[in-house]
Structures are given as C-alpha cells and as structure tokens.
Amino acid sequence: MKTQTPPEHVMSLVNMLNPKLLLLPALLLAALTPGRGQGCFVNANGTREFRVYDAATRQEVTALCVGNRYRLKDVSDQLTSPQIIPPSRIYYLTGPAITCAAGTDTTTFYTPATAGPVVITQNTPNLTNPASGIIYSRTFEVLARPRPTFALLACSPGVVQVSIDYAKDSYNTYQVQVGTLTDNVPRGAAPRSYPAAAGVTSVTVTGAYTGSCASEPTAQSFTPKPAPLTPAIQRLDRQGPSFVLQFGPLQPEYTYTLQQTDAPAPDVRLSPGQTTLTLPVPAAANGCYRLLLTDACSPSLLSVPSATLCSVLLTGTSANGRNLLSWPPNGATSYVLRRDGVVLPGATSPYVDSVGIVCGVSYRYRLEATTGSGPTAGVATSEAVVLTSALRTQPVPALFVSFNARNQPELTASVPGLPTGGQLIYQRDNTLTIATTARRTTRDSTLTAPTGPVCYTVRFADACGNQSAASPAFCPVFLTAKAADPEGTRAQLAWTALGSPAPAAAVRYTVEAQLADGTWRAVSAALAALDFLDLQPAADRQVLRYRVAARAPGQPVSYSNTATVARQLKLFLPTAFSPNGDGLNDVLELKGRFLTTFRFSVVDRNGQEVFRAADRTQTWNGRIGNEQPVPGAYVWRFEATDETGLRIVQHGTITIVR
C-alpha cells in the first residue's frame, strides 16, 4: 500500500482516529501533493486492498497478459468495516509507476495493450471520514501472447513430428493437438512425434503461462507422406578400382542409407534426388550392399531395406585360340556373358570362348549377374579384356565391289565374327596389292580410268601375322558404249557379266542414263542379256552417260563404270540473207545442235565488229546502229567448247543482199 505522506502532527491525529488506515482530508491531501506525484510511501505490510480477476475465467491472477480482459475488485473495506464502498467512489489509474492522484476513472475492467511491468493504482475513500482517502498500488507483469512458432515434419505414413521454437516466446507449457489427440509439452522439451489418423493434415499448438493466460491457437498444415516403396539397387558396376551403384527412383519424402552388409564400413547417407554413387572396391570383400529406407524422424518408426546385391568379379585368360572366363558365385539368379556386346550362349563359370575369335585380337567381355526379379531386381556387372592367343586357321573374308561416281571401284570386306581388328589385304587381279588396312572399306584410287574388266580379292591377317585364304573374286560389271549411227541418234551398250559368289543365272542388269541434274534414270527393263540398244537417247545432251546396275540375290546393287557417248556439236549458217522487210530471210540466226556455250561475231570489211551473240535467241537484222543494212560480204567467227572439253573454231562469210 502506498499513501500520501502528511506532516508529523497530522499523522498522530490520523493514527488516533484509526490505527489501521492512513487518512487525509481532501483539502490537506491536495495541499501536501503538489503535482500529484509527491509524498507517497510504501505500505510495508503488503496488504492487498484490491484484487485482479480474469474476466473470462473469473480466476484471480497475479500476472497479466496482453489482450486479455481483467476485472479490478476493491477489498479494502473488508479490512476496516463490513460496509461496502460504492464503486462510483473508487478510482483506478495504470502506468509505469505509482500515481499519487485522486483519479477520475471508475471503470473496473482493464485490458493491457503492451508487455512489461504495469502499476495499477486505486484511490479508495475513507468511509468513516468522507473528506479523506487512501491510495493503494500493485505492480503486475504484463506478458506477451505471440503465436507459438513450430515446424512440422511428416515422418512416415500416419506420423508427424512437431518441433517448437522456444526462442520465439516465453510460455511455460504448450498444448499440441493432432486430430483428437492432445498433449501438454513443457518448455524445452525435445521434438515429439504423434500419430496422425487418416484425413488429419494439420496440427494446432497453443502456448500458456503457468497459472495465467494462453496464446491464440496456431494451426499449421502438413502433407502426409505416401506409402513407402521398397527401395532397389538396380546396378552394381565394377569399374576398375571403383564400384558404381545405380538406384531406382528414390522418394524424396524419406531418408536413404547405403549399407555394406559383408564388411564393417560406415553407412553412406544419400542426398535427395541422388541416383548414382561411386565407392572404392573394398579390400577385404567383393562388396555386398543394401539400401535402407527410413523416415525423417527416427529409423525405429519405419525401416524398409532393399534386397542385398553383391558384386561379381570376372577374370579371363587365353591359350591356343581359346579364351577362358570365370567368376565366383555371388548369389545371382541368372548370368549373362557378352563379348563386344554380343550375348554368348550358356553363361556358366568357367566358360570357354573359342568360336569366331582371332589371334592377337583383344575382346571385351562383360558379365551381368541378376539378383531377384521384377522392379526390385538388381544387376551386378564386371568386365575383363582378353588378348586372344594364336589360332591356326583364319576366317576367310567376303568381298563386294561397286564403281562410285568418280569411276573408282569401292571395295567392302566383311570378316565372319570380326567387325573390327586384324588387317585386310586388298588385291586387284590377284597380283597388285592396292591397300593393307584394318578398315573394312577402301577405294582403288590407282584405277582412275578403267579400260577393261577388273577383279578383286581380299585376305585377312591377324595380329600374329597369320593370313587367311583369299576371298572369292568379285568382278564388277565393265560397260562400253558407242554411237550406233554417225549422228548419234542411237547408242549401243555392251558389258561383262558380274563375277561374284552369286549364281550368274540369277543376276539381272538394268541400264541407267544420267539426267541433266546429275540423277540417274533406268532406260531398260531388268535384263539377263549383256547388251542393249538405246533407241531414244536424250536429244539435248551432247554427251550421253550410262551405267549398269547389277542385282544379285542377297547382295547390294553393284554398279558398273560410267561409259559415255560423245556426239558432235554442229553449227548451220546461210551464206546470205536479205534484210529488206519482205518476211523472207530478213535476219541472220544461228542454227545447229548442242549450242550451249559459244561466242559468235561478225565484222565488216574494215575489221569493225558489227554483231555479237552468245545465245541462239540473238539474231542480226543487218543494221549497224540505226543505219540501214549495207549490202556486201561480212566475215563471221564461231568459238565454242563442247561438253568433252574440245575447243571448236569455225569462220566464214555472210553476204547481205537486197
């Protein structure tokens, strides 16, 4: 209790009247308290002359909360007299300190707006002496009511973890509600996991002060996790000193850990979205692994392991043209062995590979060991490179030959079981070696202008120098062509038979002619004969070009060389013309065949050029400028280069007559 301090003689008078209260007349109180802030003292007995109740719960409180409504109730009359003081004569003030003033507010409800200490002052009248009164005060702590801050983590299907951030408020306890489940969590407690029934997707947390107010309930939503899928290690590839593991799709809602099951090794935590992992090959064991799925909160809540996948080690040796492959069992349900990508039949350890391999050639073997089946199956792989030792018999290659657009034979060889490796020795007419190369295709660049039939063979040699027998000879078609009459209005063609392993009777020949745009068009049906007469060659081509397409069963089309028929360029000019306007021979025009690129000029008797043309559509009317034609003789000159490259020069005279 705090009251205004009267002079000493007044205090004695007051104590004589009532030893339990300090009373002052109203006029004396005003005189002793200039500025309404002086002369107050603290009642050492600490008597509570008014009480504070929560307006909602009607419970007395000793601390206040921001936003809550409180009722102030006077009880000072219970200390002196049973008579009740009328509320209209009790005044309340609130502030940061004791307010020594009479006051004017008779409201008995108070709602704090800010946190921190607050002093409530009550001005109470003296019932025995209405002219005097007493001021009482009490200090309360106003507590803030922020909404609790917390995080949710869906741990596994039907479980959610709640983590409260205690640094954001000062509540003593928290009420967590998940569906119909309610839990009281003391301040500072570790995160807790709760069961979440089907359809529950939010959590509500309310903070509270012990014996005082609580916060507004705060709700937060979460997404329940999908059902966990059994994890799978899809591949375990041994690559030199490392293992490369490949995993099936990982659900981002869960945690995945790779565990080595056959040797003590630290677990490896996978990152979200990780699909591969590279590890060193363990020294003490080949390596068996499993992938463990757990929830994000505790492995004890959910733990789903994959099938265990063990590595496999493939080794290989070679002797006398035989490659020996072996591998220890690793619990796989099936094995597949490949040589350079081709599956070898009957993969069981040890495995002998002796078909289609060549001395000195290195082969890459790959073993695939499958464990389990379906979407959880895993494949462990290992590779070995084996250099094959000597073989006594080399495979005989096959050969195919066709002329290209440059009139050069292109040769394509194939070796049974050997798409690459070794050396190929190409020969023409069994005498001239045109190339020794590992390439399966080559070109006879030494034959620039074939003048007769040619035949080719090829041999295969391994890295040890052992050669195969020569392949069957392949003789492409050789074509000849000539004009069948002096003017070249027909072309006579003849060719040799295709020499190849295919039966000669089954071969069919088609004659093709080249068009102006460079493409080819068939001008004959499929023939068994070895000659053809082209009755309608292209009229606008000076040089006719032909080839023969030979088709044999089971083989690509083999083309012959290109043969040509060159026809003569011709120019026809009159000896005179009469530019007199009568409609007959009024102009000089150039006529002939295959006149494509040329230069024609006319000069007079003085050597002056009077007309020039480079196109058949250009004509001369005999005029020189705007002058009338002058009768007389003129000299003309014609220069051209035909399609064969032959330069042609002709000259003569032309006479203008009236």
Side-chain angles (χ1 to χ4, degrees), residues 556-641:
V557 178
S558 177
Y559 292 100
S560 72
N561 60 302
T562 300
T564 61
V565 176
R567 297 183 286 184
Q568 186 178 2
L569 180 150
K570 289 190 176 183
L571 173 68
F572 301 102
L573 284 177
T575 59
F577 72 105
S578 55
N580 53 16
D582 62 357
L584 298 175
N585 298 322
D586 283 336
V587 295
L588 173 65
E589 58 182 340
L590 283 70
K591 296 182 180 180
R593 65 177 186 176
F594 314 129
L595 300 180
T596 55
T597 303
F598 64 88
R599 178 181 177 182
F600 178 79
S601 61
V602 179
V603 297
D604 61 13
R605 66 183 61 188
N606 297 320
Q608 297 296 318
E609 186 177 81
V610 296
F611 174 69
R612 176 185 295 180
D615 189 287
R616 295 179 61 175
T617 61
Q618 295 175 284
T619 60
W620 185 38
N621 58 7
R623 292 176 178 267
I624 303 174
N626 293 324
E627 300 294 332
Q628 291 293 327
V630 177
Y634 295 81
V635 177
W636 58 264
R637 180 180 175 86
F638 176 82
E639 298 180 23
T641 301

Side-chain angles (χ1 to χ4, degrees), residues 112 158 351 483:
Y351 187 89

Side-chain angles (χ1 to χ4, degrees), residues 329-378:
N330 72 330
T333 53
S334 64
Y335 297 92
V336 175
L337 182 63
R338 302 175 187 269
R339 183 184 70 200
D340 294 333
V342 178
V343 176
L344 300 177
T348 57
S349 180
Y351 187 89
V352 178
D353 185 21
S354 59
V355 179
I357 58 177
V358 179
C359 165
V361 176
S362 293
Y363 297 94
R364 182 176 296 277
Y365 293 90
R366 180 181 180 87
L367 180 66
E368 299 174 354
T370 302
T371 301
S373 61
T376 60

Side-chain angles (χ1 to χ4, degrees), residues 345-410:
T348 57
S349 180
Y351 187 89
V352 178
D353 185 21
S354 59
V355 179
I357 58 177
V358 179
C359 165
V361 176
S362 293
Y363 297 94
R364 182 176 296 277
Y365 293 90
R366 180 181 180 87
L367 180 66
E368 299 174 354
T370 302
T371 301
S373 61
T376 60
V379 179
T381 69
S382 180
E383 292 188 349
V385 176
V386 180
L387 177 63
T388 307
S389 62
L391 277 175
R392 296 176 182 174
T393 304
Q394 303 300 319
V396 177
L399 185 63
F400 172 80
V401 184
S402 178
F403 279 88
N404 62 18
R406 295 183 178 181
N407 253 1
Q408 294 175 320
E410 289 189 344

Side-chain angles (χ1 to χ4, degrees), residues 242-600:
S242 301
F243 284 148
V244 178
L245 296 97
Q246 182 176 340
F247 313 110
L250 305 182
Q251 295 174 275
E253 299 86 357
Y254 294 98
T255 299
Y256 292 86
T257 304
L258 182 70
Q259 299 176 326
Q260 186 173 345
T261 62
D262 62 337
D267 295 345
V268 179
R269 180 79 170 268
L270 300 185
S271 304
Q274 186 172 357
T275 58
T276 61
L277 179 66
T278 301
L279 297 174
V281 173
N286 284 335
C288 291
Y289 299 90
R290 76 171 186 177
L291 192 60
L292 186 65
L293 176 151
T294 57
D295 75 344
C297 305
S298 173
S300 61
L301 295 177
L302 179 67
S303 180
V304 181
S306 71
T308 299
L309 183 61
C310 296
S311 65
V312 64
L313 176 61
L314 176 66
T315 58
T317 59
S318 181
N320 194 28
R322 294 156 56 91
N323 294 341
L324 178 65
L325 292 307
S326 62
W327 58 90
N330 72 330
T333 53
S334 64
Y335 297 92
V336 175
L337 182 63
R338 302 175 187 269
R339 183 184 70 200
D340 294 333
V342 178
V343 176
L344 300 177
T348 57
S349 180
Y351 187 89
V352 178
D353 185 21
S354 59
V355 179
I357 58 177
V358 179
C359 165
V361 176
S362 293
Y363 297 94
R364 182 176 296 277
Y365 293 90
R366 180 181 180 87
L367 180 66
E368 299 174 354
T370 302
T371 301
S373 61
T376 60
V379 179
T381 69
S382 180
E383 292 188 349
V385 176
V386 180
L387 177 63
T388 307
S389 62
L391 277 175
R392 296 176 182 174
T393 304
Q394 303 300 319
V396 177
L399 185 63
F400 172 80
V401 184
S402 178
F403 279 88
N404 62 18
R406 295 183 178 181
N407 253 1
Q408 294 175 320
E410 289 189 344
L411 293 74
T412 302
S414 59
V415 183
L418 296 173
T420 59
Q423 292 286 311
L424 291 168
I425 305 166
Y426 297 93
Q427 288 187 323
R428 185 173 74 217
D429 298 330
N430 286 323
T431 57
L432 177 63
T433 299
I434 63 171
T436 300
T437 176
R439 294 183 302 172
R440 268 42 180 175
T441 60
T442 190
R443 180 183 301 115
D444 186 1
S445 57
T446 65
L447 189 67
T448 56
T451 57
V454 290
C455 294
Y456 295 90
T457 56
V458 64
R459 296 173 184 268
F460 175 76
D462 65 14
C464 303
N466 303 311
Q467 288 190 14
S468 70
S471 68
F474 196 107
C475 307
V477 171
F478 180 75
L479 173 66
T480 58
K482 63 181 180 179
D485 56 73
E487 295 299 322
T489 58
R490 296 176 299 167
Q492 180 65 56
L493 309 175
W495 57 89
T496 61
L498 177 69
S500 75
V507 181
R508 291 294 180 267
Y509 306 93
T510 304
V511 179
E512 297 181 354
Q514 190 176 44
L515 304 181
D517 60 2
T519 60
W520 294 85
R521 177 178 63 87
V523 294
S524 78
L527 307 172
L530 301 179
D531 58 4
F532 176 72
L533 178 62
D534 188 5
L535 299 176
Q536 293 181 329
D540 58 344
R541 302 294 305 277
Q542 180 196 355
V543 178
L544 304 175
R545 292 179 172 84
Y546 295 93
R547 71 179 182 182
V548 173
R551 292 175 172 83
Q555 289 185 357
V557 178
S558 177
Y559 292 100
S560 72
N561 60 302
T562 300
T564 61
V565 176
R567 297 183 286 184
Q568 186 178 2
L569 180 150
K570 289 190 176 183
L571 173 68
F572 301 102
L573 284 177
T575 59
F577 72 105
S578 55
N580 53 16
D582 62 357
L584 298 175
N585 298 322
D586 283 336
V587 295
L588 173 65
E589 58 182 340
L590 283 70
K591 296 182 180 180
R593 65 177 186 176
F594 314 129
L595 300 180
T596 55
T597 303
F598 64 88
R599 178 181 177 182
F600 178 79

